[in-house]
């Protein structure tokens, strides 16, 4: 089954601009995720129509706030938000990092079938990831807390780069507990069509 019509109607409720080819790629990604999920248990979201909202739209709405060309999606799971964002921005590079082999096996299949030239899946724990040059942005919607994200991912960016944390409710208590050398530079309330509940993108930077 293809989900292009449904996905297109959801995207039209936002300001996101996508081509027919991108809608097709996103739809194929959901098909693959649904198929592999039955055996690999990649996401607790079982219904592909729910995946369109909770995974695809939830990832795409972050796109307009990203700055830079090179990003790493830490604890990417089945490729969220990395795969939808890589489809949205073919000119940008995305490293998708996860420690579980079955997730990386799935992501390699996604990259192959969707012919994504700007995605590199890597199986590794984040603290072991070797850095040659800092990334422009660290993306994550997997970390339990902002503190964990900072602690585990600090080596991935320098003062120019950003941490982008996808959250539900605004994490007031977590922000109060941040170390002195980390500041919140922006907070964006996100609107995801037909999704109940709050969504926020928290942007953090290292101070000099």
């Amino acid at each position: 089954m293809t989900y292009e019509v449904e996905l297109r109607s959801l995207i039209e409720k936002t300001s996101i601009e996508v081509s027919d080819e991108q809608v097709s790629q996103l739809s194929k990604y959901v098909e693959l995720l649904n198929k592999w999920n039955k055996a690999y248990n990649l996401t607790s979201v079982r219904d592909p129509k729910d995946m369109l909202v909770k995974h695809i739209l939830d990832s795409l709405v972050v796109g307009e706030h990203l700055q830079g060309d090179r990003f790493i999606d830490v604890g990417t799971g089945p490729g969220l938000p990395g795969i939808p964002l890589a489809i949205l921005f073919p000119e940008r590079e995305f490293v998708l990092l996860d420690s579980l082999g079955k997730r990386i096996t799935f992501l390699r299949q996604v990259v192959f079938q969707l012919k994504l030239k700007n995605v590199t899946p890597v199986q590794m724990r984040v603290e072991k990831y070797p850095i040659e040059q800092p990334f422009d942005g660290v993306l994550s919607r997997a970390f339990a807390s902002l503190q964990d994200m900072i602690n585990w991912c600090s080596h991935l960016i320098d003062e120019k780069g950003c941490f982008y944390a996808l959250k539900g409710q605004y994490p007031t208590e977590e922000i109060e507990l941040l170390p002195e050398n980390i500041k919140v530079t922006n907070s964006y309330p996100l609107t995801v069509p037909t999704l109940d509940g709050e969504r926020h993108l928290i942007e953090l930077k290292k101070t000099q």
Side-chain angles (χ1 to χ4, degrees):
M1 178 178 176
T2 177
Y3 303 102
E4 290 180 38
V5 174
E6 200 151 347
L7 183 55
R8 172 65 78 182
S9 74
L10 284 166
I11 291 173
E12 281 171 359
K13 295 184 171 79
T14 73
S15 58
I16 301 163
E17 291 185 16
V18 288
S19 66
D20 290 343
E21 184 189 358
Q22 286 169 317
V23 171
S24 173
Q25 285 179 305
L26 291 163
S27 173
K28 281 181 190 155
Y29 171 57
V30 170
E31 287 172 45
L32 285 167
L33 185 52
N34 182 44
K35 179 179 163 189
W36 280 61
N37 201 37
K38 294 180 173 95
Y40 277 58
N41 201 23
L42 298 166
T43 168
S44 58
V45 180
R46 297 289 171 201
D47 185 337
K49 291 183 179 178
D50 287 340
M51 291 179 189
L52 295 177
V53 175
K54 293 179 178 176
H55 288 339
I56 304 302
L57 263 290
D58 192 59
S59 299
L60 292 179
V61 294
V62 173
E64 64 177 311
H65 305 297
L66 301 183
Q67 295 167 10
D69 300 312
R70 294 178 65 251
F71 298 89
I72 182 165
D73 178 7
V74 176
T76 186
L80 299 160
I83 292 288
L85 289 171
I87 290 170
L88 188 62
F89 299 114
E91 71 286 358
R92 292 173 168 179
E93 285 180 50
F94 291 84
V95 172
L96 273 48
L97 194 69
D98 204 280
S99 59
L100 266 192
K102 66 180 183 179
R103 294 172 183 159
I104 297 302
T105 301
F106 167 70
L107 288 172
R108 287 184 180 132
Q109 189 64 24
V110 170
V111 167
F112 172 72
Q113 294 213 0
L114 301 188
K115 300 181 173 61
L116 299 176
K117 304 279 190 262
N118 60 333
V119 175
T120 309
V122 177
Q123 183 185 350
M124 193 177 291
R125 294 183 65 84
V126 62
E127 64 270 26
K128 298 237 166 69
Y129 188 81
I131 276 294
E132 291 173 11
Q133 67 178 109
F135 287 92
D136 297 319
V138 175
L139 294 157
S140 184
R141 61 178 217 162
F143 277 99
S145 71
L146 295 176
Q147 287 80 0
D148 287 345
M149 186 180 185
I150 303 300
N151 290 341
W152 294 113
C153 305
S154 199
H155 64 295
L156 300 174
I157 61 169
D158 58 18
E159 285 79 11
K160 297 192 194 82
C162 286
F163 296 104
Y164 297 98
L166 283 73
K167 288 285 185 180
Q169 293 180 316
Y170 186 80
T172 306
E173 289 179 11
E174 291 176 33
I175 287 169
E176 287 170 0
L177 294 170
L178 287 171
E180 285 182 9
N181 67 327
I182 301 291
K183 64 176 180 182
V184 176
T185 45
N186 275 300
S187 162
Y188 305 102
L190 303 172
T191 303
V192 182
T194 77
L195 183 69
D196 291 332
E198 292 180 43
R199 299 295 288 149
H200 287 85
L201 178 67
I202 310 300
E203 181 190 291
L204 309 116
K205 273 192 162 185
K206 295 177 178 180
T207 54
Q208 298 284 354

